[in-house]
Amino acid sequence: MTHAPATTRAIRRRHDREIVALAVPAFGALVAEPLFVMADSAIVGHLGTAQLAGLGIASALLMTAVSVFVFLAYATTAAVARRVGADDLQAAIRQGMDGIWLALLLGAVVVAVALPTAPALVDLFGASDTAAPYATTYLRISCLGIPAMLVVLASTGVLRGLQDTKTPLYVAIGGFVANAVLNVGLVYGADLGIAGSAWGTVIAQFGMAAVYLMVVVRGARAHGASLRPDAAGIRASAQAGVPLLVRTLSLRAILMIATAVAARLGDADIAAHQIILSLWSLLAFALDAIAIAGQAIIGRYLGAGDVQGAREACRRMVQWGIAVGVLLGLAVVAARPAFLPLFTSDAMVKDAALPALLVVALAQPICGIVFVLDGVLMGAGDGPYLAWAMVLTLAVFTPVALLIPALGGGLTAVWAAMTLMMAVRMLTLWLRSRSGRWIVTGATR
């Protein structure tokens, strides 16, 4: 009996080391991604207000397009990690190549659609007459980089599945530096204006994709994996991604509804909402890093047929999610007085944001559980359940959110509805994790 606690502590320490080793670099890579947009904004902002407005509209369209295909990373991580757990690195890399080929095909389709429809898409976002030409220019050039962006997503999934989150971090840092240097050189040195910013970003994205492909190709050659496109494998990757696509679209719909409701409350509320949403996104990166570790670890355990290891890892990651959520919540409460002045000096905006920030802080432990269990179920390849659960969450959230303008409560009510949304997600994910139905062992699900 005296050895049991020591054994339990040893298991926890092993899981802790693995979670930290995967999550910390993943967090760095996640934070590096929005820095691309921030660097572009800082450089283009000095060209003029119309150019910056055009960049904002084009960037929103591009980020929406890319976020829809984030399943390329998630589904690939789970599939590759299973093969790694089954000790079949050749098949793991072959699986990853299928995801990369799918990314190239989807990227080509998006470019073919975006190039001719760029002006209409910009008009749909309500761009002003002065900003629209800049938005169209940036969108048309930047969409050429979408295939590279999708390859980066799929390749990131391959490396995460191979339990490597350090390489994506190094590539992200290199890409950020290259993007900033190219933007400055092309915008001001070559005097290309906003077009120079777009070309700089495209070149940096293709550079990142090239580095990823070199790493994956080297691994494929080392383990004898074929690099040729395989129709059956690409089709299987697409089928695995469909439920995650439904999940992502449902989540995007929730965020859009929340923003639309906040906009109906008035200028101060929508301004405060945007500030809080940016903070919420930053907090999500920290929690998503643990979820990414969960995808890789759970997939590997299930691929190896280690049910007990998968359960123990899931339990420990939930504890991490709760602990990190509590710390983030306390940080939000402590930083409120200093955080808001960074974004606004408007007293009405601050008054709208302060109570809503408290709601966000209180929600963080719930968010921690949600992100972790989401990652666990993704790692298990339980996409259909995740899709169903998110559609249900959307169905619960929508009527509650739409009633806020009539019932009152302001922006605080909007974020209370967002917390309700996370609570519903937590319930559906917890019930699934308790049922054990997500545990399917083997090299494939």
Side-chain angles (χ1 to χ4, degrees):
M1 294 293 291
T2 57
H3 295 291
T7 302
T8 300
R9 285 197 297 271
I11 291 172
R12 286 181 177 176
R13 282 198 298 270
R14 187 180 76 243
H15 288 312
D16 289 346
R17 286 195 298 270
E18 193 167 32
I19 292 167
V20 170
L22 291 171
V24 172
F27 174 69
L30 288 169
V31 170
E33 292 174 10
L35 291 178
F36 267 74
V37 178
M38 289 180 63
D40 288 0
S41 299
I43 293 166
V44 172
H46 291 285
L47 294 174
T49 301
Q51 288 91 332
L52 184 59
L55 172 66
I57 293 165
S59 293
L61 286 164
L62 289 164
M63 289 301 100
T64 298
V66 173
S67 67
V68 165
F69 297 112
V70 74
F71 69 83
L72 288 166
Y74 293 159
T76 305
T77 297
V80 171
R82 276 185 175 270
R83 299 284 191 178
V84 170
D87 199 25
D88 190 350
L89 285 177
Q90 182 186 71
I93 296 174
R94 175 64 260 180
Q95 189 96 44
M97 285 304 306
D98 292 334
I100 291 172
W101 280 111
L102 176 62
L104 286 169
L105 290 172
L106 291 173
V109 171
V110 173
V111 171
V113 172
L115 277 176
T117 61
L121 291 171
V122 168
D123 288 342
L124 189 64
F125 260 58
S128 67
D129 291 340
T130 53
Y134 296 113
T136 301
T137 296
Y138 191 92
L139 181 59
R140 276 186 164 153
I141 297 172
S142 291
C143 76
L144 298 175
I146 287 179
M149 295 169 75
L150 299 190
V151 167
V152 167
L153 282 177
S155 301
T156 300
V158 176
L159 296 182
R160 288 174 182 170
L162 293 171
Q163 318 297 295
D164 176 10
T165 56
K166 290 183 179 178
T167 300
L169 171 61
Y170 299 148
V171 175
I173 293 172
F176 168 72
V177 173
N179 177 66
V181 171
L182 286 166
N183 267 255
V184 171
L186 294 174
V187 171
Y188 298 111
D191 198 25
L192 294 179
I194 195 170
S197 176
W199 281 118
T201 300
V202 168
I203 294 169
Q205 288 162 346
F206 272 99
M208 292 171 67
V211 172
Y212 272 120
L213 289 175
M214 284 191 292
V215 172
V216 174
V217 168
R218 186 165 62 241
R221 288 176 175 169
H223 296 284
S226 173
L227 298 174
R228 295 179 179 178
D230 176 67
I234 294 171
R235 187 164 55 249
S237 295
Q239 289 171 346
V242 168
L244 296 181
L245 175 61
V246 173
R247 167 198 168 277
T248 300
L249 290 174
S250 299
L251 180 57
R252 296 293 302 183
I254 287 170
L255 296 176
M256 289 175 65
I257 290 170
T259 300
V261 170
R264 293 180 63 184
L265 299 177
D267 289 347
D269 288 281
I270 187 59
H273 177 74
Q274 288 304 112
I275 293 171
I276 296 173
L277 192 60
S278 66
L279 174 64
W280 195 74
S281 299
L282 179 62
L283 298 174
F285 286 138
L287 298 172
D288 202 24
I290 306 174
I292 287 169
Q295 294 171 30
I297 294 169
I298 294 298
R300 193 189 72 234
Y301 273 121
L302 294 179
D306 188 350
V307 173
Q308 184 62 24
R311 287 186 182 277
E312 290 171 352
C314 174
R315 189 178 304 114
R316 190 57 177 163
M317 279 183 283
V318 169
Q319 292 169 356
W320 267 82
I322 294 171
V324 173
V326 169
L327 290 174
L328 291 176
L330 292 174
V332 170
V333 173
R336 282 190 313 153
F339 175 73
L340 287 174
L342 295 175
F343 293 88
T344 182
S345 58
D346 190 318
M348 292 181 64
V349 175
K350 291 180 181 179
D351 289 343
L354 278 171
L357 278 173
L358 279 179
V359 176
V360 171
L362 291 171
Q364 289 312 297
I366 297 174
C367 294
I369 297 172
V370 169
F371 274 83
V372 168
L373 290 180
D374 205 42
V376 166
L377 296 186
M378 282 186 190
D382 203 12
Y385 182 83
L386 290 172
W388 172 87
M390 189 59 80
V391 170
L392 174 65
T393 302
L394 174 61
V396 172
F397 172 81
T398 301
V400 173
L402 293 180
L403 284 172
I404 290 173
L407 297 180
L411 189 64
T412 303
V414 173
W415 282 95
M418 289 287 284
T419 303
L420 170 65
M421 177 270 291
M422 295 303 288
V424 173
R425 289 186 68 189
M426 181 180 69
L427 178 61
T428 58
L429 297 174
W430 178 78
L431 289 173
R432 186 64 167 182
S433 68
R434 292 282 294 176
S435 73
R437 293 178 183 174
W438 57 278
I439 300 177
V440 179
T441 59
T444 58
R445 184 178 173 90

